[in-house]
Amino acid sequence: MVHEQVSVLLVLANIQTPPVEATVLRLITEALQNNIAGIPLIHKTEEFDFDPEVSKKRRELYYEQHGYRGEKAIERLGLGIDGKHRERAAQQRARDEGHLNGLNDHQP
């Protein structure tokens, strides 16, 4: 089946035609190539070197730098990157005084 499709494609590609018919023929051959045979990128094979031990080491480094699930990174982003992070952290601590997870301590 694929051999027949490739041979039809080769025959269509080698036909000499006037410019108008060539455009139509080009549309047909591109449609056949892209829809039946697939684009050439699909048929390209890739190989990657993968070492699962590297990811375990990098996970430990990520936890150390950014915290579990990025808790430290989210906190740093919330404090801003303009150099006023210490002032914002103090404001947030003062604002959150007496609150537990955003709730008041003395709720009924």
Side-chain angles (χ1 to χ4, degrees):
M1 175 88 179
V2 175
H3 181 65
E4 293 172 2
Q5 293 170 351
V6 172
S7 62
V8 169
L9 188 63
L10 289 174
V11 169
L12 290 174
N14 289 329
I15 297 174
Q16 299 294 327
T17 56
V20 174
E21 291 179 15
T23 306
V24 173
L25 187 61
R26 185 171 141 229
L27 288 173
I28 293 171
T29 55
E30 285 180 359
L32 287 173
Q33 164 126 21
N34 292 333
N35 295 318
I36 296 174
I39 58 174
L41 183 64
I42 292 174
H43 303 293
K44 185 177 175 185
T45 57
E46 295 281 339
E47 290 187 18
F48 297 96
D49 294 329
F50 179 75
D51 183 12
E53 298 301 318
V54 172
S55 63
K56 292 177 184 175
K57 293 175 186 174
R58 289 186 179 164
R59 177 177 48 189
E60 293 171 7
L61 293 172
Y62 181 87
Y63 286 167
E64 183 180 319
Q65 183 177 5
H66 301 294
Y68 180 68
R69 294 187 179 169
E71 294 166 344
K72 295 177 186 176
I74 293 169
E75 183 178 353
R76 280 195 307 270
L77 287 172
L79 293 175
I81 58 172
D82 58 356
K84 298 180 182 179
H85 57 279
R86 288 191 180 93
E87 294 87 12
R88 285 196 191 94
Q91 289 172 352
Q92 288 178 7
R93 274 190 230 103
R95 179 196 67 201
D96 295 339
E97 188 72 31
H99 290 78
L100 178 65
N101 293 330
L103 301 173
N104 288 332
D105 284 338
H106 305 293
Q107 285 187 345

